[in-house]
Amino acid sequence: MDNATTLHIGDSVEHALELLDQALTILDGEDLLIAAAKVDEARNSLRKAANND
């Protein structure tokens, strides 16, 4: 993978994390704790996968 591809993937991951953060904020505000926990789990999994590359 070249540097441009790596940067593009990194940008995509960062964008996905931002969207998950926004979803988590909304779900927390609506007291949808189970859904918020699932979003948090997805966010943590994405971070872990991104750090392993």
Side-chain angles (χ1 to χ4, degrees), residues 21-52:
D21 286 340
Q22 291 174 13
L24 188 57
T25 300
I26 292 166
L27 293 170
D28 279 342
E30 296 294 325
D31 290 327
L32 298 171
L33 300 179
I34 293 172
K38 292 294 184 180
V39 169
D40 190 45
E41 184 179 314
R43 183 179 63 172
N44 291 333
S45 295
L46 182 58
R47 281 187 179 135
K48 183 178 178 182
N51 289 331
N52 284 336

Side-chain angles (χ1 to χ4, degrees), residues 4 6 10 12 14 18-20 22 27 29 35 38:
T6 302
S12 297
E14 285 301 316
E18 289 172 14
L19 292 174
L20 288 169
Q22 291 174 13
L27 293 170
K38 292 294 184 180

